Amino acid sequence: LGEDGDTYAHGYLALVRSQVAAGAGEIDQALVLAERAIEIGMRAADADLKAHALTNLGSLKIATGSTFDGFALMEEASIAAVNGELSPVTTGVTACRMIGACRDMTDYRRATEWIEATERYCDRQSLSGFPGVCRIHRAEVALVSGAWARAEAELERATLELGAYNATPPQADGFYAIGDIRRLRGDLVGAQEALREAHARGRSPQPALA
């Protein structure tokens, strides 16, 4: 392809290069490349590319302290997602990253609003919901709101789904959350069992185990 060009393929190339730069700690370069991916997505009228790039740039801005701007970019992509403007896969990724960002910033009100919007989208599309990591994010928010039984059921389902793909880090998060719920409900034996599963997958079982 070469690096110059305005096709949708060049847009995805810029997006991947942005992610690689971010992983290497070259944040300024990552921001420039993410903005280029957005521009190409708009010119190429590729809604999925634009959404991926907006979400990527939003995550970068949040990570560098520009929280307001970052959330605005991610919400622009998420609005397109729940309005049915994106492919189902891109919709799932976009909504999941939006809810995950809210969880990471402990903005549970905003997370709940996006979970509800995603559930309405799934109802319209006759989907049972997005599995795996997305289910874990939704369950973590439900846990904070006090819906313990619902959260535990979602987490048990999610850890099974993730196990089929050897998705170890998010699976460990799921087991940790299950342990925390069981601790809160007084099931200390069950809590210890789940926390040991989390530990075996590389996640510290603390402070819940203590």
Side-chain angles (χ1 to χ4, degrees), residues 23 34 45 58 66 68-69 71 75 78 115-116 139 154 157 176 188:
S66 299
F68 182 84
D69 292 341
F71 270 123
E75 290 194 318
S78 298
I115 288 170
E116 292 172 352
E154 281 278 283
R157 194 171 164 191
Y176 182 91
L188 301 186

Side-chain angles (χ1 to χ4, degrees), residues 3-39:
E3 295 186 7
D4 296 326
D6 292 329
T7 69
Y8 80 95
H10 288 93
Y12 280 106
L13 180 60
L15 178 60
V16 172
R17 290 177 63 212
S18 172
Q19 294 167 339
V20 170
E26 300 168 358
I27 302 302
D28 290 342
Q29 179 71 356
L31 290 166
V32 169
L33 288 164
E35 288 170 352
R36 173 165 166 71
I38 293 171
E39 292 169 3

Side-chain angles (χ1 to χ4, degrees), residues 82-199:
V82 298
N83 282 346
E85 299 171 20
L86 311 177
S87 69
V89 171
T90 304
T91 295
V93 171
T94 302
C96 183
R97 292 188 69 182
M98 178 77 244
I99 294 164
C102 295
R103 179 209 59 174
D104 292 343
M105 299 299 293
T106 64
D107 189 344
Y108 297 113
R109 178 193 59 78
R110 194 196 304 253
T112 300
E113 290 172 355
W114 280 109
I115 288 170
E116 292 172 352
T118 303
E119 289 174 346
R120 288 194 294 271
Y121 165 85
C122 289
D123 289 342
R124 291 196 304 272
Q125 301 294 325
S126 299
L127 299 172
S128 61
F130 297 111
V133 178
C134 299
R135 204 183 300 284
I136 285 179
H137 290 336
R138 292 199 302 272
E140 287 171 335
V141 174
L143 168 60
V144 172
S145 69
W148 294 348
R150 175 187 168 192
E152 184 173 1
E154 281 278 283
L155 287 163
E156 288 175 347
R157 194 171 164 191
T159 51
L160 282 173
E161 291 167 345
L162 291 164
Y165 297 96
N166 294 321
T168 305
Q171 193 184 30
D173 289 341
F175 277 116
Y176 182 91
I178 290 171
D180 215 22
I181 292 170
R182 290 175 179 173
R183 176 186 65 81
L184 291 167
R185 299 175 76 175
D187 178 9
L188 301 186
V189 173
Q192 188 175 42
E193 178 183 324
L195 292 167
R196 283 178 171 165
E197 292 286 351
H199 196 196

Side-chain angles (χ1 to χ4, degrees), residues 15 34 37-38 42 47-60 69-70 72-78 80 94 97:
L15 178 60
I38 293 171
M42 293 174 68
D48 279 12
L49 169 59
K50 181 183 175 185
H52 282 301
L54 283 168
T55 302
N56 188 54
L57 181 59
S59 297
L60 287 168
D69 292 341
L73 290 164
M74 296 188 79
E75 290 194 318
E76 182 180 347
S78 298
T94 302
R97 292 188 69 182

